Amino acid sequence: MSDMFSTQEQPQTEIDLAAAEALLGTDADRFRHDYLEVRGLRVEFDGFVAVRDVDLTVTQGDLRFLVGPNGAGKTTLIDAVTGLVRATGSVSFGRTELLGRSTHRIARAGVGRTFQTASVFEELTVLQNLDIAAGARRRPLTLLRRRQDTPEAVERALETVGLTALRDVPAGVLAHGQKQWLEIGMLLVQDAHLLLLDEPVAGMTQAEREETGALLRRIGSQRVVVVVEHDMEFLRSFADSVTVMHQGRVLAEGTVNEVQNDPAVVEVYLGAPAAESGAAPAKPATTEGDLP
Amino acid sequence: MNVFTALLRPGRARTLAAFGLAAAVLLLAPMVLSPFRLDLLAKFLCLAMVAVGIGLAWGRGGLLTLGQGVYFGLGAYLMAMHLKLADAGPGGVPDFMLLYGTGQVPGWWEPLRSPVSAIVLILLVPAGLAALLGWAVFTRRVRGAYFAILSQALAAAFAILLIGQQQTTGGTNGLNGFRAFFGYDLADPLNKQMLYLIAAGALLVMVAVVRQLSVSRFGELLVAVRDQEDRVRFLGYDPAAVKVVAYAVAAVMAAVGGALFVPIAGIVSPADVGVVPSIGFLIGVAIGGRATLLGPVLGSIAVSWAQTSISEQFPSGWIYFQGALFILVIAFLPGGLASFAGKLRRRRAAAAPGDAGASGDAARDHELVPERSPA
């Protein structure tokens, strides 16, 4: 208890990469060579084609950013991969075909996601949130008992996302950025090996963004990570590679530099040659589709 | 953690004390109340069992079950059928069947002749039906108001079915005129007292079960499913399975309440299982506080009690009073009367910050605990 109070003096919510190391280090071999492979993906809503002919391959150690203007189909793509919307084509992770499976089975196959609006269980405490995330493989009889002690993975995740001191606080009262971190922590204890993050740094302060980026890079080295993000500053700092979507198709793919200089991308975003990319480096990009 | 230190934890000690107090009050009642009043209280306890189940399914799980009359009725009718057969003696035919029916006991009545299989069926039939129905409904992601309407339609259909089968279910009259309960004469006041004690014991057990479920990991999961069903799905759980368990437990509790109601009230009829009684079960839960452990029980007993005493004074006034009470609680106290206690405690805690716990202090230091409005 006493050391808990001593840490109160410092800013208590801080990403702890060492703890992330301990968490990610466990059981990493099983998925070592796995990658996400999307082939000919098509999503249709009542005749409107939201995503068409999308091919996408993301490997471990390649922190992939998915960008594109509003309505480009980025979130729909994630929805299709996680089983939320019906799609045709093929999505496989590891040797598992994901399309056609129910959402919770896809999750059990090692796929985790976050949402644009942080969706944590607001009435439950931070600890309870993480404990639930860690427990999908628990046996029914274990569920009927009260939690006696904190699982090791949950403890590590609390440290990783810097919420150890707030473990007994209802998640609903957390600050926005802390909720996003809690969600990332939930993905980690869930043992997801494919992480799909929908605008993970939206609404975060600059310092929080940098810590989140560092954590995502750390996770990306051992997991397959896809990030949907509008913040170009954030993208430039942390993306290994970028996929640009437009009107449901993949428009371009490559490193940040390649994509920035791709004429097709420039045309879609600006309708004109690219503006000077360093024009407003400190400005947090909030408007959608705000490409350099 | 051994048993002794577990008992000393503040939460558990308080719970045990509250249980002891409730048990003492329930045990003392036979000495204080007249046989007539005791009978009424026993009836109220049976209705409260339904409320305990609703508290779990609705309060914790968000399943607005407007049709618990079905499960209450299943338990009640199965018990009533057994009592009729037992009264008729081995191989005998229940009296009403001689009057209205063919004078033959239908085949589907026969399993209820044996007391053991009757008890087993009273537990299994509602559980099975609830599981089947719940699975069909929840996997299709029917929820909220749609689920409520569906469950209510089921109660209406069940009552109509019973009325239509005059020869085998007694129709509108229902089943009544029971003479004995598992061999014990129902005219004997001492046996009535025993029935009361069985009902009190069953109610306490149910409250204990719901408490255990609520503090367990299952209880946390149930709240998570109530608030963010999709999020739970993305964590790898099947929310339908979680809901089915809560729904089936509530169904069994309603059935046991119904089964004990029959020998105590001496009658069960379609009027006890249809839409109106199904909503009636809910009102006590809403007024008491659906998300709390004791709110549903106390609310249900209080509403039953008020119904009886107000009906004694103003024979037709109760229905207006009930409506007004329901509107007032929903409008001004959505958490039920039990949320009053929580509000007071929070206000007192806010007035005396020195008493707050460590985590409260830690949180306040970083301005993380704004005034939270109860959802």
Side-chain angles (χ1 to χ4, degrees):
Chain A
M1 273 323 226
S2 59
D3 64 336
M4 190 183 110
F5 279 107
S6 63
T7 58
Q8 294 297 303
E9 307 309 320
Q10 299 136 22
Q12 59 188 159
T13 45
E14 219 168 53
I15 296 281
D16 180 350
L17 289 177
E21 197 86 36
L23 193 56
L24 291 166
T26 57
D27 188 36
D29 310 271
R30 188 154 59 98
F31 288 90
R32 177 120 297 171
H33 303 294
D34 288 343
Y35 54 93
L36 169 71
E37 189 169 40
V38 177
R39 288 290 172 269
L41 191 77
R42 181 184 176 90
V43 180
E44 209 176 314
F45 300 114
D46 295 328
F48 169 72
V49 183
V51 169
R52 67 179 86 205
D53 308 327
V54 167
D55 291 348
L56 188 69
T57 305
V58 188
T59 56
Q60 197 172 295
D62 171 17
L63 187 56
R64 177 68 59 92
F65 275 58
L66 202 55
V67 298
N70 238 348
K74 308 178 297 288
T75 299
T76 309
L77 175 68
I78 290 187
D79 287 349
V81 171
T82 52
L84 198 59
V85 298
R86 258 175 215 282
T88 54
S90 158
V91 176
S92 63
F93 178 62
R95 271 157 290 279
T96 315
E97 172 65 43
L98 300 181
L99 283 196
R101 291 190 170 215
S102 59
T103 303
H104 70 276
R105 293 199 191 283
I106 292 176
R108 283 192 197 181
V111 180
R113 72 172 291 183
T114 64
F115 295 82
Q116 281 177 6
T117 49
S119 55
V120 292
F121 309 119
E122 308 227 322
E123 281 194 20
L124 299 177
T125 65
V126 170
L127 177 61
Q128 285 171 328
N129 269 274
L130 287 167
D131 187 62
I132 286 177
R137 291 182 188 84
R138 280 186 194 124
R139 299 162 149 278
L141 280 181
T142 324
L143 286 179
L144 293 183
R145 282 202 297 273
R146 184 201 287 263
R147 183 184 46 252
Q148 299 293 342
D149 43 23
T150 315
E152 178 67 19
V154 169
E155 201 70 63
R156 291 284 89 78
L158 280 169
E159 287 168 27
T160 303
V161 296
L163 293 174
T164 306
L166 299 173
R167 59 201 294 158
D168 295 321
V169 169
V173 306
L174 291 182
H176 182 74
Q178 291 172 328
K179 280 186 194 169
Q180 309 265 58
W181 281 353
L182 175 56
E183 284 223 85
I184 295 175
M186 287 164 77
L187 287 183
L188 292 177
V189 292
Q190 183 189 347
D191 204 22
H193 282 70
L194 167 59
L195 291 83
L196 306 160
L197 299 127
D198 206 346
E199 302 193 26
V201 298
M204 282 190 181
T205 64
Q206 192 56 38
E208 285 171 334
R209 276 160 200 258
E210 265 154 39
E211 289 192 64
T212 310
L215 176 62
L216 290 183
R217 284 203 69 85
R218 180 65 198 78
I219 298 170
S221 69
Q222 261 169 301
R223 301 280 192 270
V224 181
V225 182
V226 177
V227 182
V228 170
E229 192 50 69
H230 289 300
D231 182 345
M232 291 306 142
E233 173 79 17
F234 184 69
L235 179 143
R236 251 177 264 129
S237 316
F238 297 104
D240 288 320
S241 59
V242 183
T243 298
V244 184
M245 289 187 71
H246 180 57
Q247 292 180 348
R249 296 174 201 270
V250 172
L251 189 67
E253 196 169 288
T255 64
V256 179
N257 253 328
E258 285 165 8
V259 165
Q260 271 179 334
N261 298 320
D262 188 306
V265 175
V266 172
E267 194 187 327
V268 162
Y269 270 88
L270 301 174
E276 170 50 43
S277 57
K283 183 181 139 248
T286 48
T287 43
E288 295 233 302
D290 181 2
L291 206 83
Chain B
M1 184 176 292
N2 64 36
V3 180
F4 185 68
T5 51
L7 284 177
L8 283 180
R9 273 191 299 180
R12 190 155 301 190
R14 224 177 46 201
T15 315
L16 278 180
F19 254 91
L21 189 68
V25 168
L26 287 172
L27 277 172
L28 279 175
M31 300 174 205
V32 186
L33 297 175
S34 67
F36 171 70
R37 291 284 163 196
L38 188 69
D39 227 35
L40 276 180
L41 181 58
K43 229 160 49 172
F44 299 163
L45 296 185
C46 293
L47 300 178
M49 293 179 206
V50 187
V52 176
I54 295 178
L56 179 73
W58 183 32
R60 295 270 159 184
L63 306 167
L64 181 50
T65 57
L66 284 175
Q68 287 306 85
V70 172
Y71 303 108
F72 181 81
L74 272 177
Y77 267 89
L78 288 171
M79 176 61 88
M81 284 155 71
H82 169 69
L83 297 185
K84 288 310 273 187
L85 287 171
D87 282 353
V93 180
D95 46 11
F96 78 96
M97 284 189 187
L98 296 170
L99 279 175
Y100 307 112
T102 55
Q104 298 274 318
V105 178
W108 55 274
W109 271 63
E110 288 299 341
L112 290 153
R113 248 186 225 285
S114 134
V116 177
S117 70
I119 291 174
V120 169
L121 286 173
I122 284 168
L123 297 174
L124 284 192
V125 171
L129 179 70
L132 202 73
L133 207 78
W135 192 255
V137 168
F138 300 138
T139 48
R140 280 172 184 73
R141 308 198 184 172
V142 176
R143 52 190 151 189
Y146 299 98
F147 171 73
I149 291 166
L150 197 75
S151 63
Q152 184 167 58
L154 198 70
F158 185 56
I160 291 167
L161 179 76
L162 289 171
I163 292 170
Q165 303 295 316
Q166 169 97 15
Q167 294 93 340
T168 52
T169 65
T172 321
N173 299 333
L175 300 174
N176 53 42
F178 316 110
R179 289 196 297 276
F181 178 69
F182 293 97
Y184 291 94
D185 184 4
L186 281 171
D188 186 342
L190 204 64
N191 287 342
K192 287 293 231 182
Q193 231 177 61
M194 176 192 74
L195 269 174
Y196 162 81
L197 289 176
I198 293 175
L203 182 63
L204 284 176
V205 168
M206 287 182 193
V207 172
V209 167
V210 168
R211 184 189 136 76
Q212 177 57 33
L213 285 178
S214 300
V215 301
S216 71
R217 280 176 155 141
F218 173 81
E220 295 172 355
L221 190 57
L222 190 58
V223 171
V225 168
R226 178 191 70 190
D227 293 345
Q228 298 262 6
E229 188 174 330
D230 273 329
R231 191 74 186 84
V232 172
R233 199 170 274 128
F234 285 114
L235 291 174
Y237 297 94
D238 186 358
V242 178
K243 290 196 210 176
V244 164
V245 171
Y247 187 53
V249 169
V252 169
M253 290 184 174
V256 171
L260 289 171
F261 179 85
V262 163
I264 291 167
I267 180 171
V268 60
S269 74
D272 298 319
V273 309
V275 171
V276 175
S278 291
I279 295 175
F281 292 134
L282 215 71
I283 291 178
V285 178
I287 288 173
R290 63 177 190 266
T292 57
L293 181 64
L294 293 178
V297 188
L298 300 178
S300 165
I301 294 175
V303 167
S304 305
W305 199 274
Q307 176 169 16
T308 309
S309 22
I310 290 174
S311 299
E312 281 168 10
Q313 300 294 319
F314 315 99
S316 59
W318 164 248
I319 196 81
Y320 298 105
F321 183 78
Q322 189 183 41
L325 195 61
F326 199 44
I327 292 170
L328 280 178
V329 168
I330 295 295
F332 297 110
L333 215 58
L337 292 173
S339 65
F340 246 155
K343 268 184 189 167
L344 282 179
R345 203 177 311 144
R346 226 166 297 142
R347 191 158 300 174
R348 219 175 321 146
D355 295 342
S359 60
D361 273 336
R364 209 183 336 275
D365 286 345
H366 294 85
E367 298 174 357
L368 278 163
V369 191
E371 189 72 322
R372 224 157 68 90
S373 59

